[in-house]
Amino acid sequence: MILVVSVALMLLSALPSAFGEREALHISNQTDPARADEVYRYLASNNIDVHSVTETNDMLVVTFGSNGQQAAAQALMTEFIHSSETVALTLEPSAPSWLISLGFKPIKLGLDLRGGVQFLLEVDLVPVFNAHAQSIINDLRQEFRVRGRVVNGDVVLSQYGDAHLGDIRAYLRSQYPNWTMSQSGSRLAISMDEEERRAIRTLTVTQNLQTMRGRIEELGITEAAVQPQGEHRIRIELPGVQDPTSAKNIIGATASLAFYHVESDASVRTKSINDQDGRPVILHRNSILGASILSMLVPA
């Protein structure tokens, strides 16, 4: 008896995969039940082969009768929905509703079985290290009126004005303990040590991972994998994506991230921007941290 039950459960769990999945849209943040009929009629009037429009957990689920309808329907719905709603591409099981209601769902397939798109993004760390070096120059210029330049992520000082070199070295040891100094004649070179470089690299990659995961949410691909690869790369796998061009436009765009000191008073060294509530925020003109992402598309 136990063997019969086990075999029956195994067959039921495998059955949804035999039906496959349909292309679908998830329209979130909707609260009007009547919208389902409106969405169905709107898409059908624009020659979209709609299979069904159902409401689930404050979300409209639109499935299509044939493949190739998803991208066009998403474009139409973006113009049709309210500003507070979002449209995401996804896949829904084609199995009968009674089977799904029992908790059985298709097996999630990866790129090797379903196909899709794979991105490999490389975080460009050179601007990050240069921004840190430039922030030291700006700091020293304010404290000692010295002049310097950034060379391959290092600070090179050659003009000290009226400042004493010993005072500058003491200030650097106090304020920038993770930077090392080397002197050749009147030239002072300041370099970031490897521990600090590694910490900045890890922080920058982590922040960009969060940015990429946010972009994945825009596509609504729940099976997507976003993970670091090596020291400064990010691998993104999008199983089942039918529109790689749209995915590349959203995910593969160059991303920029910068951090600024918040200042209490405005001056020639500051700039002002408005926050999300329209209130002005005074920032130092030069960023203390920034990074860019360079994208490389690898088809799967």
Side-chain angles (χ1 to χ4, degrees):
M1 183 65 180
I2 295 177
L3 179 60
V4 173
V5 172
S6 299
V7 171
L9 288 175
M10 291 176 61
L11 290 174
L12 284 173
S13 62
L15 196 56
S17 297
F19 286 94
E21 294 176 309
R22 296 180 184 273
E23 292 183 356
L25 295 180
H26 283 176
I27 305 174
S28 62
N29 295 333
Q30 77 86 32
T31 56
D32 183 6
R35 296 287 313 281
D37 291 336
E38 294 179 12
V39 168
Y40 188 97
R41 290 194 297 268
Y42 175 71
L43 291 175
S45 66
N46 284 277
N47 300 319
I48 299 296
D49 182 12
V50 181
H51 176 263
S52 65
V53 181
T54 57
E55 183 183 6
T56 306
N57 298 327
D58 293 331
M59 175 186 298
L60 286 181
V61 179
V62 182
T63 59
F64 304 100
S66 57
N67 291 333
Q69 306 284 307
Q70 200 177 37
Q74 183 190 36
L76 288 169
M77 291 309 304
T78 301
E79 300 177 356
F80 181 76
I81 62 175
H82 299 154
S83 59
S84 61
E85 297 174 326
T86 59
V87 181
L89 305 178
T90 187
L91 296 171
E92 287 289 322
S94 297
S97 58
W98 66 265
L99 188 59
I100 300 300
S101 65
L102 293 175
F104 298 106
K105 297 180 180 180
I107 298 172
K108 300 298 183 183
L109 304 179
L111 288 176
D112 52 344
L113 297 177
R114 180 185 291 180
V117 177
Q118 176 180 285
F119 291 91
L120 186 60
L121 307 179
E122 182 173 355
V123 180
D124 184 8
L125 293 164
V126 173
V128 180
F129 298 138
N130 287 345
H132 275 264
Q134 186 61 49
S135 69
I136 292 181
I137 293 176
N138 296 339
D139 188 13
L140 292 174
R141 184 181 297 127
Q142 294 180 28
E143 292 290 331
F144 301 101
R145 300 186 182 278
V146 301
R147 292 185 179 274
R149 55 195 175 95
V150 177
V151 180
N152 297 326
D154 296 338
V155 176
V156 178
L157 303 178
S158 56
Q159 299 181 33
Y160 309 105
D162 298 331
H164 191 277
L165 187 56
D167 294 336
I168 296 176
R169 295 175 69 95
Y171 180 83
L172 289 169
R173 281 193 294 269
S174 171
Q175 299 298 318
Y176 301 97
N178 294 322
W179 289 68
T180 59
M181 292 172 281
S182 61
Q183 186 173 352
S184 176
S186 62
R187 178 178 176 273
L188 180 63
I190 311 164
S191 304
M192 185 186 303
D193 66 21
E194 187 56 37
E195 183 179 354
E196 179 76 356
R197 190 177 294 270
R198 185 165 49 250
I200 291 173
R201 182 189 302 118
T202 300
L203 175 63
T204 305
V205 172
T206 300
Q207 290 165 339
N208 282 311
L209 273 170
Q210 295 173 351
T211 299
M212 291 299 102
R213 287 179 178 131
R215 293 185 177 187
I216 291 294
E217 290 178 0
E218 294 183 30
L219 292 175
I221 305 170
T222 56
E223 301 88 356
V226 182
Q227 56 191 6
Q229 177 171 309
E231 292 186 338
H232 52 83
R233 289 182 177 177
I234 299 173
R235 178 186 293 275
I236 300 176
E237 295 182 354
L238 307 177
V241 169
Q242 306 297 323
D243 186 6
T245 301
S246 176
K248 184 178 185 298
N249 290 337
I250 295 175
I251 297 173
T254 300
S256 297
L257 187 66
F259 295 86
Y260 295 83
H261 275 301
V262 177
E263 305 289 348
S264 57
D265 300 310
S267 69
V268 294
R269 298 189 180 93
T270 64
K271 63 180 180 180
S272 177
I273 63 171
N274 292 332
D275 63 12
Q276 60 184 6
D277 297 322
R279 296 172 299 189
V281 178
I282 301 174
L283 305 175
H284 195 283
R285 187 168 297 278
N286 297 314
S287 65
I288 58 174
L289 176 63
S292 298
I293 291 179
L294 304 180
S295 63
M296 297 175 287
L297 175 63
V298 183

